[in-house]
Amino acid sequence: MTNVPVIAIDGPSGVGKGTVSAKIARALNWHFLDSGVLYRAFVWLKGQNASALQSLQEVESIANELSIEFVWDFKTESYQVNRKSKEISSLLRSEAVSQGASQLASNPWVRQALISNQRAFRKPPGLVADGRDMGTVIFPDAFCKFYLTATPAVRAMRRHKQLKEMGLNVNLTELEKSIEERDFRDMHRSVAPLKRAENAILVDTTHQSVQEVYEGMMHSITGKNL
Ligand code: DC
């Protein structure tokens, strides 16, 4: 463990944690980790067939090739995902990659191999990390932890809007079904399932705008005396 401070933000898909985490990281001028991107990049690079993975060593060598960076984009006011200096953000957002990442994420070798990738983002002056197990497994000593929720219907609508903005057209009913499947899998896997850390602040984002969620969370963070 290091004494570099971490803010851990967990929750199910479509809850808005990526947007708000990026906004907090930017405001504090801290490093940013969207851990779902690592699972997505793994699928994009190697496919989702976890049974084809032969050993922890093999998985570790794939994890070492990921080389993911998050770079602030002034045009979109959000982080873009770069790999070896090439932008790959939109390649990782399809529903096929989402489902594949959720399936792959239940593989214990993959989770084990990605631990050091994720912890490597912890650099001064601090890190804002979002995912499913940031506060429970990867950064259990985070000084501030949040668990975001919202109703499944609202989450599906938000994700639909996000995909549409990226030029991906998906049926809303199918998307809701896919999100429910993914949540169920993410919450019921045996290794590092999605759950609220004991000391995580619960934030229900159903009826709040991004700005309201952001302001509420910043209030909690600054109240902790950085
Ligand atoms: O946050 P996301 O939708 O980009 O994540 C894609 C999948 O990756 C998600 O369904 C579960 C998995 N994941 C995980 O198991 N642990 C994390 N810390 C982040 C993502």
PDB file of all heavy atoms in Angstrom, residues 157-192:
ATOM      1  N   MET A 157     -31.723   3.777 -20.029  1.00  0.00           N
ATOM      2  CA  MET A 157     -31.935   4.984 -20.823  1.00  0.00           C
ATOM      3  C   MET A 157     -30.639   5.794 -20.956  1.00  0.00           C
ATOM      4  O   MET A 157     -30.309   6.299 -22.031  1.00  0.00           O
ATOM      5  CB  MET A 157     -33.023   5.847 -20.198  1.00  0.00           C
ATOM      6  CG  MET A 157     -34.316   5.740 -20.971  1.00  0.00           C
ATOM      7  SD  MET A 157     -35.796   5.970 -20.018  1.00  0.00           S
ATOM      8  CE  MET A 157     -35.460   7.340 -19.002  1.00  0.00           C
ATOM      9  N   ARG A 158     -29.914   5.908 -19.861  1.00  0.00           N
ATOM     10  CA  ARG A 158     -28.644   6.667 -19.905  1.00  0.00           C
ATOM     11  C   ARG A 158     -27.646   6.011 -20.846  1.00  0.00           C
ATOM     12  O   ARG A 158     -26.959   6.671 -21.622  1.00  0.00           O
ATOM     13  CB  ARG A 158     -28.031   6.725 -18.497  1.00  0.00           C
ATOM     14  CG  ARG A 158     -28.761   7.687 -17.602  1.00  0.00           C
ATOM     15  CD  ARG A 158     -28.087   7.725 -16.261  1.00  0.00           C
ATOM     16  NE  ARG A 158     -28.867   8.506 -15.328  1.00  0.00           N
ATOM     17  CZ  ARG A 158     -28.787   8.382 -14.017  1.00  0.00           C
ATOM     18  NH1 ARG A 158     -27.957   7.511 -13.485  1.00  0.00           N
ATOM     19  NH2 ARG A 158     -29.515   9.134 -13.235  1.00  0.00           N
ATOM     20  N   ARG A 159     -27.578   4.694 -20.766  1.00  0.00           N
ATOM     21  CA  ARG A 159     -26.619   3.979 -21.610  1.00  0.00           C
ATOM     22  C   ARG A 159     -27.012   4.093 -23.090  1.00  0.00           C
ATOM     23  O   ARG A 159     -26.176   4.221 -23.966  1.00  0.00           O
ATOM     24  CB  ARG A 159     -26.560   2.530 -21.119  1.00  0.00           C
ATOM     25  CG  ARG A 159     -25.584   1.681 -21.810  1.00  0.00           C
ATOM     26  CD  ARG A 159     -24.506   1.101 -20.935  1.00  0.00           C
ATOM     27  NE  ARG A 159     -23.679   0.227 -21.784  1.00  0.00           N
ATOM     28  CZ  ARG A 159     -22.621   0.648 -22.443  1.00  0.00           C
ATOM     29  NH1 ARG A 159     -22.186   1.867 -22.295  1.00  0.00           N
ATOM     30  NH2 ARG A 159     -21.957  -0.173 -23.231  1.00  0.00           N
ATOM     31  N   HIS A 160     -28.317   4.052 -23.327  1.00  0.00           N
ATOM     32  CA  HIS A 160     -28.846   4.180 -24.683  1.00  0.00           C
ATOM     33  C   HIS A 160     -28.408   5.516 -25.279  1.00  0.00           C
ATOM     34  O   HIS A 160     -27.930   5.595 -26.411  1.00  0.00           O
ATOM     35  CB  HIS A 160     -30.377   4.078 -24.614  1.00  0.00           C
ATOM     36  CG  HIS A 160     -31.028   3.969 -25.955  1.00  0.00           C
ATOM     37  ND1 HIS A 160     -31.761   4.970 -26.510  1.00  0.00           N
ATOM     38  CD2 HIS A 160     -31.034   2.969 -26.875  1.00  0.00           C
ATOM     39  CE1 HIS A 160     -32.192   4.603 -27.703  1.00  0.00           C
ATOM     40  NE2 HIS A 160     -31.768   3.380 -27.941  1.00  0.00           N
ATOM     41  N   LYS A 161     -28.553   6.570 -24.470  1.00  0.00           N
ATOM     42  CA  LYS A 161     -28.195   7.918 -24.916  1.00  0.00           C
ATOM     43  C   LYS A 161     -26.688   7.985 -25.222  1.00  0.00           C
ATOM     44  O   LYS A 161     -26.266   8.514 -26.251  1.00  0.00           O
ATOM     45  CB  LYS A 161     -28.580   8.901 -23.801  1.00  0.00           C
ATOM     46  CG  LYS A 161     -28.363  10.340 -24.149  1.00  0.00           C
ATOM     47  CD  LYS A 161     -29.038  11.252 -23.128  1.00  0.00           C
ATOM     48  CE  LYS A 161     -28.620  12.692 -23.299  1.00  0.00           C
ATOM     49  NZ  LYS A 161     -27.442  13.070 -22.529  1.00  0.00           N
ATOM     50  N   GLN A 162     -25.907   7.401 -24.302  1.00  0.00           N
ATOM     51  CA  GLN A 162     -24.443   7.411 -24.456  1.00  0.00           C
ATOM     52  C   GLN A 162     -24.036   6.697 -25.762  1.00  0.00           C
ATOM     53  O   GLN A 162     -23.211   7.197 -26.525  1.00  0.00           O
ATOM     54  CB  GLN A 162     -23.834   6.698 -23.247  1.00  0.00           C
ATOM     55  CG  GLN A 162     -22.353   6.841 -23.085  1.00  0.00           C
ATOM     56  CD  GLN A 162     -21.847   5.957 -21.942  1.00  0.00           C
ATOM     57  OE1 GLN A 162     -22.327   4.841 -21.743  1.00  0.00           O
ATOM     58  NE2 GLN A 162     -20.891   6.450 -21.181  1.00  0.00           N
ATOM     59  N   LEU A 163     -24.655   5.530 -26.017  1.00  0.00           N
ATOM     60  CA  LEU A 163     -24.310   4.769 -27.226  1.00  0.00           C
ATOM     61  C   LEU A 163     -24.739   5.520 -28.485  1.00  0.00           C
ATOM     62  O   LEU A 163     -24.028   5.530 -29.482  1.00  0.00           O
ATOM     63  CB  LEU A 163     -24.972   3.381 -27.182  1.00  0.00           C
ATOM     64  CG  LEU A 163     -24.406   2.418 -26.137  1.00  0.00           C
ATOM     65  CD1 LEU A 163     -25.243   1.148 -26.057  1.00  0.00           C
ATOM     66  CD2 LEU A 163     -22.955   2.043 -26.433  1.00  0.00           C
ATOM     67  N   LYS A 164     -25.909   6.160 -28.394  1.00  0.00           N
ATOM     68  CA  LYS A 164     -26.412   6.922 -29.538  1.00  0.00           C
ATOM     69  C   LYS A 164     -25.446   8.056 -29.886  1.00  0.00           C
ATOM     70  O   LYS A 164     -25.126   8.302 -31.054  1.00  0.00           O
ATOM     71  CB  LYS A 164     -27.780   7.499 -29.205  1.00  0.00           C
ATOM     72  CG  LYS A 164     -28.804   7.194 -30.260  1.00  0.00           C
ATOM     73  CD  LYS A 164     -30.175   7.603 -29.837  1.00  0.00           C
ATOM     74  CE  LYS A 164     -30.969   7.988 -31.068  1.00  0.00           C
ATOM     75  NZ  LYS A 164     -32.280   8.482 -30.728  1.00  0.00           N
ATOM     76  N   GLU A 165     -24.954   8.732 -28.843  1.00  0.00           N
ATOM     77  CA  GLU A 165     -23.999   9.821 -29.055  1.00  0.00           C
ATOM     78  C   GLU A 165     -22.720   9.321 -29.724  1.00  0.00           C
ATOM     79  O   GLU A 165     -22.014  10.060 -30.384  1.00  0.00           O
ATOM     80  CB  GLU A 165     -23.677  10.506 -27.726  1.00  0.00           C
ATOM     81  CG  GLU A 165     -24.790  11.443 -27.283  1.00  0.00           C
ATOM     82  CD  GLU A 165     -24.686  11.851 -25.820  1.00  0.00           C
ATOM     83  OE1 GLU A 165     -23.723  11.475 -25.128  1.00  0.00           O
ATOM     84  OE2 GLU A 165     -25.605  12.536 -25.365  1.00  0.00           O
ATOM     85  N   MET A 166     -22.432   8.031 -29.508  1.00  0.00           N
ATOM     86  CA  MET A 166     -21.225   7.453 -30.123  1.00  0.00           C
ATOM     87  C   MET A 166     -21.537   6.880 -31.500  1.00  0.00           C
ATOM     88  O   MET A 166     -20.701   6.199 -32.102  1.00  0.00           O
ATOM     89  CB  MET A 166     -20.672   6.342 -29.237  1.00  0.00           C
ATOM     90  CG  MET A 166     -20.066   6.835 -27.964  1.00  0.00           C
ATOM     91  SD  MET A 166     -19.555   5.449 -26.963  1.00  0.00           S
ATOM     92  CE  MET A 166     -17.935   5.993 -26.530  1.00  0.00           C
ATOM     93  N   GLY A 167     -22.779   7.059 -31.951  1.00  0.00           N
ATOM     94  CA  GLY A 167     -23.157   6.574 -33.277  1.00  0.00           C
ATOM     95  C   GLY A 167     -23.579   5.108 -33.279  1.00  0.00           C
ATOM     96  O   GLY A 167     -23.700   4.495 -34.332  1.00  0.00           O
ATOM     97  N   LEU A 168     -23.797   4.513 -32.083  1.00  0.00           N
ATOM     98  CA  LEU A 168     -24.201   3.106 -32.024  1.00  0.00           C
ATOM     99  C   LEU A 168     -25.692   3.037 -31.727  1.00  0.00           C
ATOM    100  O   LEU A 168     -26.157   3.562 -30.709  1.00  0.00           O
ATOM    101  CB  LEU A 168     -23.410   2.361 -30.927  1.00  0.00           C
ATOM    102  CG  LEU A 168     -21.886   2.360 -31.083  1.00  0.00           C
ATOM    103  CD1 LEU A 168     -21.196   1.891 -29.813  1.00  0.00           C
ATOM    104  CD2 LEU A 168     -21.504   1.435 -32.231  1.00  0.00           C
ATOM    105  N   ASN A 169     -26.451   2.399 -32.622  1.00  0.00           N
ATOM    106  CA  ASN A 169     -27.897   2.344 -32.441  1.00  0.00           C
ATOM    107  C   ASN A 169     -28.314   0.997 -31.850  1.00  0.00           C
ATOM    108  O   ASN A 169     -28.108  -0.040 -32.457  1.00  0.00           O
ATOM    109  CB  ASN A 169     -28.593   2.585 -33.786  1.00  0.00           C
ATOM    110  CG  ASN A 169     -29.848   3.398 -33.567  1.00  0.00           C
ATOM    111  OD1 ASN A 169     -30.297   3.562 -32.427  1.00  0.00           O
ATOM    112  ND2 ASN A 169     -30.414   3.892 -34.646  1.00  0.00           N
ATOM    113  N   VAL A 170     -28.888   1.024 -30.637  1.00  0.00           N
ATOM    114  CA  VAL A 170     -29.248  -0.216 -29.949  1.00  0.00           C
ATOM    115  C   VAL A 170     -30.700  -0.116 -29.501  1.00  0.00           C
ATOM    116  O   VAL A 170     -31.147   0.944 -29.080  1.00  0.00           O
ATOM    117  CB  VAL A 170     -28.349  -0.421 -28.693  1.00  0.00           C
ATOM    118  CG1 VAL A 170     -28.578  -1.783 -28.071  1.00  0.00           C
ATOM    119  CG2 VAL A 170     -26.893  -0.258 -29.052  1.00  0.00           C
ATOM    120  N   ASN A 171     -31.434  -1.224 -29.576  1.00  0.00           N
ATOM    121  CA  ASN A 171     -32.820  -1.257 -29.131  1.00  0.00           C
ATOM    122  C   ASN A 171     -32.878  -1.138 -27.601  1.00  0.00           C
ATOM    123  O   ASN A 171     -32.195  -1.854 -26.882  1.00  0.00           O
ATOM    124  CB  ASN A 171     -33.405  -2.599 -29.614  1.00  0.00           C
ATOM    125  CG  ASN A 171     -34.801  -2.806 -29.142  1.00  0.00           C
ATOM    126  OD1 ASN A 171     -35.039  -3.041 -27.965  1.00  0.00           O
ATOM    127  ND2 ASN A 171     -35.729  -2.715 -30.083  1.00  0.00           N
ATOM    128  N   LEU A 172     -33.737  -0.200 -27.114  1.00  0.00           N
ATOM    129  CA  LEU A 172     -33.772   0.099 -25.676  1.00  0.00           C
ATOM    130  C   LEU A 172     -34.187  -1.116 -24.832  1.00  0.00           C
ATOM    131  O   LEU A 172     -33.596  -1.389 -23.779  1.00  0.00           O
ATOM    132  CB  LEU A 172     -34.706   1.289 -25.420  1.00  0.00           C
ATOM    133  CG  LEU A 172     -34.792   1.803 -23.998  1.00  0.00           C
ATOM    134  CD1 LEU A 172     -33.443   2.278 -23.473  1.00  0.00           C
ATOM    135  CD2 LEU A 172     -35.808   2.949 -23.892  1.00  0.00           C
ATOM    136  N   THR A 173     -35.196  -1.870 -25.295  1.00  0.00           N
ATOM    137  CA  THR A 173     -35.657  -3.046 -24.536  1.00  0.00           C
ATOM    138  C   THR A 173     -34.551  -4.091 -24.446  1.00  0.00           C
ATOM    139  O   THR A 173     -34.301  -4.674 -23.385  1.00  0.00           O
ATOM    140  CB  THR A 173     -36.904  -3.663 -25.215  1.00  0.00           C
ATOM    141  OG1 THR A 173     -37.765  -2.602 -25.600  1.00  0.00           O
ATOM    142  CG2 THR A 173     -37.623  -4.624 -24.314  1.00  0.00           C
ATOM    143  N   GLU A 174     -33.876  -4.306 -25.583  1.00  0.00           N
ATOM    144  CA  GLU A 174     -32.776  -5.282 -25.586  1.00  0.00           C
ATOM    145  C   GLU A 174     -31.644  -4.818 -24.669  1.00  0.00           C
ATOM    146  O   GLU A 174     -31.019  -5.611 -23.963  1.00  0.00           O
ATOM    147  CB  GLU A 174     -32.230  -5.474 -26.996  1.00  0.00           C
ATOM    148  CG  GLU A 174     -33.067  -6.435 -27.813  1.00  0.00           C
ATOM    149  CD  GLU A 174     -32.659  -6.449 -29.271  1.00  0.00           C
ATOM    150  OE1 GLU A 174     -31.502  -6.118 -29.586  1.00  0.00           O
ATOM    151  OE2 GLU A 174     -33.535  -6.775 -30.105  1.00  0.00           O
ATOM    152  N   LEU A 175     -31.424  -3.512 -24.689  1.00  0.00           N
ATOM    153  CA  LEU A 175     -30.348  -2.956 -23.860  1.00  0.00           C
ATOM    154  C   LEU A 175     -30.655  -3.157 -22.369  1.00  0.00           C
ATOM    155  O   LEU A 175     -29.783  -3.538 -21.587  1.00  0.00           O
ATOM    156  CB  LEU A 175     -30.188  -1.464 -24.177  1.00  0.00           C
ATOM    157  CG  LEU A 175     -29.016  -0.766 -23.536  1.00  0.00           C
ATOM    158  CD1 LEU A 175     -27.697  -1.369 -24.004  1.00  0.00           C
ATOM    159  CD2 LEU A 175     -29.013   0.716 -23.898  1.00  0.00           C
ATOM    160  N   GLU A 176     -31.922  -2.941 -22.002  1.00  0.00           N
ATOM    161  CA  GLU A 176     -32.318  -3.121 -20.603  1.00  0.00           C
ATOM    162  C   GLU A 176     -32.091  -4.572 -20.181  1.00  0.00           C
ATOM    163  O   GLU A 176     -31.579  -4.852 -19.097  1.00  0.00           O
ATOM    164  CB  GLU A 176     -33.788  -2.710 -20.434  1.00  0.00           C
ATOM    165  CG  GLU A 176     -34.119  -2.422 -18.990  1.00  0.00           C
ATOM    166  CD  GLU A 176     -35.478  -1.755 -18.802  1.00  0.00           C
ATOM    167  OE1 GLU A 176     -36.016  -1.166 -19.754  1.00  0.00           O
ATOM    168  OE2 GLU A 176     -35.982  -1.841 -17.672  1.00  0.00           O
ATOM    169  N   LYS A 177     -32.441  -5.499 -21.082  1.00  0.00           N
ATOM    170  CA  LYS A 177     -32.273  -6.930 -20.792  1.00  0.00           C
ATOM    171  C   LYS A 177     -30.779  -7.250 -20.638  1.00  0.00           C
ATOM    172  O   LYS A 177     -30.356  -7.939 -19.704  1.00  0.00           O
ATOM    173  CB  LYS A 177     -32.876  -7.737 -21.948  1.00  0.00           C
ATOM    174  CG  LYS A 177     -33.253  -9.132 -21.548  1.00  0.00           C
ATOM    175  CD  LYS A 177     -34.063  -9.805 -22.650  1.00  0.00           C
ATOM    176  CE  LYS A 177     -33.615 -11.235 -22.775  1.00  0.00           C
ATOM    177  NZ  LYS A 177     -32.898 -11.569 -23.983  1.00  0.00           N
ATOM    178  N   SER A 178     -29.980  -6.681 -21.531  1.00  0.00           N
ATOM    179  CA  SER A 178     -28.543  -6.946 -21.515  1.00  0.00           C
ATOM    180  C   SER A 178     -27.908  -6.389 -20.227  1.00  0.00           C
ATOM    181  O   SER A 178     -27.034  -7.023 -19.617  1.00  0.00           O
ATOM    182  CB  SER A 178     -27.937  -6.326 -22.775  1.00  0.00           C
ATOM    183  OG  SER A 178     -26.587  -6.075 -22.620  1.00  0.00           O
ATOM    184  N   ILE A 179     -28.380  -5.215 -19.790  1.00  0.00           N
ATOM    185  CA  ILE A 179     -27.843  -4.606 -18.563  1.00  0.00           C
ATOM    186  C   ILE A 179     -28.206  -5.464 -17.345  1.00  0.00           C
ATOM    187  O   ILE A 179     -27.385  -5.712 -16.468  1.00  0.00           O
ATOM    188  CB  ILE A 179     -28.366  -3.153 -18.427  1.00  0.00           C
ATOM    189  CG1 ILE A 179     -27.580  -2.238 -19.375  1.00  0.00           C
ATOM    190  CG2 ILE A 179     -28.259  -2.646 -16.995  1.00  0.00           C
ATOM    191  CD1 ILE A 179     -27.920  -0.772 -19.275  1.00  0.00           C
ATOM    192  N   GLU A 180     -29.449  -5.966 -17.341  1.00  0.00           N
ATOM    193  CA  GLU A 180     -29.874  -6.813 -16.218  1.00  0.00           C
ATOM    194  C   GLU A 180     -29.048  -8.088 -16.142  1.00  0.00           C
ATOM    195  O   GLU A 180     -28.619  -8.511 -15.072  1.00  0.00           O
ATOM    196  CB  GLU A 180     -31.366  -7.144 -16.328  1.00  0.00           C
ATOM    197  CG  GLU A 180     -32.209  -6.028 -15.730  1.00  0.00           C
ATOM    198  CD  GLU A 180     -33.695  -6.170 -16.013  1.00  0.00           C
ATOM    199  OE1 GLU A 180     -34.140  -7.258 -16.419  1.00  0.00           O
ATOM    200  OE2 GLU A 180     -34.412  -5.163 -15.824  1.00  0.00           O
ATOM    201  N   GLU A 181     -28.800  -8.691 -17.332  1.00  0.00           N
ATOM    202  CA  GLU A 181     -27.984  -9.923 -17.387  1.00  0.00           C
ATOM    203  C   GLU A 181     -26.592  -9.663 -16.832  1.00  0.00           C
ATOM    204  O   GLU A 181     -26.035 -10.410 -16.043  1.00  0.00           O
ATOM    205  CB  GLU A 181     -27.782 -10.317 -18.852  1.00  0.00           C
ATOM    206  CG  GLU A 181     -28.582 -11.476 -19.334  1.00  0.00           C
ATOM    207  CD  GLU A 181     -28.337 -11.666 -20.823  1.00  0.00           C
ATOM    208  OE1 GLU A 181     -27.173 -11.732 -21.258  1.00  0.00           O
ATOM    209  OE2 GLU A 181     -29.349 -11.707 -21.563  1.00  0.00           O
ATOM    210  N   ARG A 182     -26.020  -8.520 -17.263  1.00  0.00           N
ATOM    211  CA  ARG A 182     -24.653  -8.156 -16.891  1.00  0.00           C
ATOM    212  C   ARG A 182     -24.576  -7.888 -15.382  1.00  0.00           C
ATOM    213  O   ARG A 182     -23.675  -8.362 -14.692  1.00  0.00           O
ATOM    214  CB  ARG A 182     -24.260  -6.898 -17.671  1.00  0.00           C
ATOM    215  CG  ARG A 182     -22.809  -6.767 -17.950  1.00  0.00           C
ATOM    216  CD  ARG A 182     -22.577  -6.191 -19.319  1.00  0.00           C
ATOM    217  NE  ARG A 182     -22.932  -4.798 -19.484  1.00  0.00           N
ATOM    218  CZ  ARG A 182     -22.153  -3.772 -19.179  1.00  0.00           C
ATOM    219  NH1 ARG A 182     -20.979  -3.983 -18.597  1.00  0.00           N
ATOM    220  NH2 ARG A 182     -22.518  -2.541 -19.435  1.00  0.00           N
ATOM    221  N   ASP A 183     -25.574  -7.158 -14.853  1.00  0.00           N
ATOM    222  CA  ASP A 183     -25.596  -6.867 -13.419  1.00  0.00           C
ATOM    223  C   ASP A 183     -25.659  -8.154 -12.618  1.00  0.00           C
ATOM    224  O   ASP A 183     -24.968  -8.316 -11.622  1.00  0.00           O
ATOM    225  CB  ASP A 183     -26.841  -6.036 -13.052  1.00  0.00           C
ATOM    226  CG  ASP A 183     -26.731  -4.604 -13.542  1.00  0.00           C
ATOM    227  OD1 ASP A 183     -25.629  -4.199 -13.933  1.00  0.00           O
ATOM    228  OD2 ASP A 183     -27.766  -3.913 -13.518  1.00  0.00           O
ATOM    229  N   PHE A 184     -26.546  -9.072 -13.081  1.00  0.00           N
ATOM    230  CA  PHE A 184     -26.715 -10.322 -12.343  1.00  0.00           C
ATOM    231  C   PHE A 184     -25.377 -11.065 -12.290  1.00  0.00           C
ATOM    232  O   PHE A 184     -24.931 -11.499 -11.240  1.00  0.00           O
ATOM    233  CB  PHE A 184     -27.798 -11.198 -12.991  1.00  0.00           C
ATOM    234  CG  PHE A 184     -28.069 -12.441 -12.191  1.00  0.00           C
ATOM    235  CD1 PHE A 184     -28.983 -12.420 -11.143  1.00  0.00           C
ATOM    236  CD2 PHE A 184     -27.382 -13.624 -12.443  1.00  0.00           C
ATOM    237  CE1 PHE A 184     -29.213 -13.559 -10.368  1.00  0.00           C
ATOM    238  CE2 PHE A 184     -27.593 -14.765 -11.684  1.00  0.00           C
ATOM    239  CZ  PHE A 184     -28.512 -14.730 -10.646  1.00  0.00           C
ATOM    240  N   ARG A 185     -24.718 -11.131 -13.448  1.00  0.00           N
ATOM    241  CA  ARG A 185     -23.434 -11.839 -13.513  1.00  0.00           C
ATOM    242  C   ARG A 185     -22.387 -11.138 -12.644  1.00  0.00           C
ATOM    243  O   ARG A 185     -21.670 -11.770 -11.877  1.00  0.00           O
ATOM    244  CB  ARG A 185     -22.970 -11.898 -14.979  1.00  0.00           C
ATOM    245  CG  ARG A 185     -21.999 -13.001 -15.238  1.00  0.00           C
ATOM    246  CD  ARG A 185     -21.484 -13.011 -16.671  1.00  0.00           C
ATOM    247  NE  ARG A 185     -22.472 -13.227 -17.684  1.00  0.00           N
ATOM    248  CZ  ARG A 185     -22.781 -12.324 -18.628  1.00  0.00           C
ATOM    249  NH1 ARG A 185     -22.168 -11.163 -18.669  1.00  0.00           N
ATOM    250  NH2 ARG A 185     -23.689 -12.584 -19.546  1.00  0.00           N
ATOM    251  N   ASP A 186     -22.326  -9.805 -12.738  1.00  0.00           N
ATOM    252  CA  ASP A 186     -21.316  -9.048 -11.983  1.00  0.00           C
ATOM    253  C   ASP A 186     -21.537  -9.154 -10.464  1.00  0.00           C
ATOM    254  O   ASP A 186     -20.588  -9.091  -9.680  1.00  0.00           O
ATOM    255  CB  ASP A 186     -21.330  -7.570 -12.393  1.00  0.00           C
ATOM    256  CG  ASP A 186     -20.888  -7.355 -13.849  1.00  0.00           C
ATOM    257  OD1 ASP A 186     -20.286  -8.287 -14.423  1.00  0.00           O
ATOM    258  OD2 ASP A 186     -21.156  -6.281 -14.404  1.00  0.00           O
ATOM    259  N   MET A 187     -22.809  -9.322 -10.057  1.00  0.00           N
ATOM    260  CA  MET A 187     -23.102  -9.362  -8.619  1.00  0.00           C
ATOM    261  C   MET A 187     -23.011 -10.771  -8.037  1.00  0.00           C
ATOM    262  O   MET A 187     -22.944 -10.937  -6.820  1.00  0.00           O
ATOM    263  CB  MET A 187     -24.520  -8.833  -8.357  1.00  0.00           C
ATOM    264  CG  MET A 187     -24.619  -7.329  -8.506  1.00  0.00           C
ATOM    265  SD  MET A 187     -26.328  -6.834  -8.405  1.00  0.00           S
ATOM    266  CE  MET A 187     -26.187  -5.074  -8.616  1.00  0.00           C
ATOM    267  N   HIS A 188     -23.068 -11.790  -8.905  1.00  0.00           N
ATOM    268  CA  HIS A 188     -23.128 -13.152  -8.382  1.00  0.00           C
ATOM    269  C   HIS A 188     -21.889 -13.996  -8.678  1.00  0.00           C
ATOM    270  O   HIS A 188     -21.875 -15.175  -8.373  1.00  0.00           O
ATOM    271  CB  HIS A 188     -24.390 -13.862  -8.899  1.00  0.00           C
ATOM    272  CG  HIS A 188     -25.635 -13.249  -8.344  1.00  0.00           C
ATOM    273  ND1 HIS A 188     -26.263 -12.177  -8.944  1.00  0.00           N
ATOM    274  CD2 HIS A 188     -26.329 -13.502  -7.213  1.00  0.00           C
ATOM    275  CE1 HIS A 188     -27.306 -11.828  -8.225  1.00  0.00           C
ATOM    276  NE2 HIS A 188     -27.369 -12.597  -7.165  1.00  0.00           N
ATOM    277  N   ARG A 189     -20.867 -13.409  -9.296  1.00  0.00           N
ATOM    278  CA  ARG A 189     -19.662 -14.204  -9.556  1.00  0.00           C
ATOM    279  C   ARG A 189     -18.965 -14.494  -8.222  1.00  0.00           C
ATOM    280  O   ARG A 189     -19.148 -13.744  -7.244  1.00  0.00           O
ATOM    281  CB  ARG A 189     -18.737 -13.488 -10.541  1.00  0.00           C
ATOM    282  CG  ARG A 189     -18.231 -12.186 -10.017  1.00  0.00           C
ATOM    283  CD  ARG A 189     -17.269 -11.510 -10.978  1.00  0.00           C
ATOM    284  NE  ARG A 189     -16.920 -10.207 -10.466  1.00  0.00           N
ATOM    285  CZ  ARG A 189     -17.031  -9.074 -11.148  1.00  0.00           C
ATOM    286  NH1 ARG A 189     -17.457  -9.075 -12.387  1.00  0.00           N
ATOM    287  NH2 ARG A 189     -16.693  -7.938 -10.594  1.00  0.00           N
ATOM    288  N   SER A 190     -18.139 -15.563  -8.230  1.00  0.00           N
ATOM    289  CA  SER A 190     -17.531 -15.937  -6.948  1.00  0.00           C
ATOM    290  C   SER A 190     -16.353 -15.031  -6.569  1.00  0.00           C
ATOM    291  O   SER A 190     -16.067 -14.834  -5.397  1.00  0.00           O
ATOM    292  CB  SER A 190     -17.095 -17.402  -6.975  1.00  0.00           C
ATOM    293  OG  SER A 190     -16.253 -17.586  -8.074  1.00  0.00           O
ATOM    294  N   VAL A 191     -15.648 -14.480  -7.577  1.00  0.00           N
ATOM    295  CA  VAL A 191     -14.493 -13.631  -7.263  1.00  0.00           C
ATOM    296  C   VAL A 191     -14.867 -12.148  -7.395  1.00  0.00           C
ATOM    297  O   VAL A 191     -15.358 -11.725  -8.439  1.00  0.00           O
ATOM    298  CB  VAL A 191     -13.309 -13.890  -8.248  1.00  0.00           C
ATOM    299  CG1 VAL A 191     -12.006 -13.364  -7.674  1.00  0.00           C
ATOM    300  CG2 VAL A 191     -13.209 -15.330  -8.608  1.00  0.00           C
ATOM    301  N   ALA A 192     -14.602 -11.396  -6.349  1.00  0.00           N
ATOM    302  CA  ALA A 192     -14.803  -9.934  -6.353  1.00  0.00           C
ATOM    303  C   ALA A 192     -16.153  -9.507  -6.948  1.00  0.00           C
ATOM    304  O   ALA A 192     -16.191  -8.705  -7.883  1.00  0.00           O
ATOM    305  CB  ALA A 192     -13.647  -9.247  -7.087  1.00  0.00           C
TER     306      ALA A 192
END
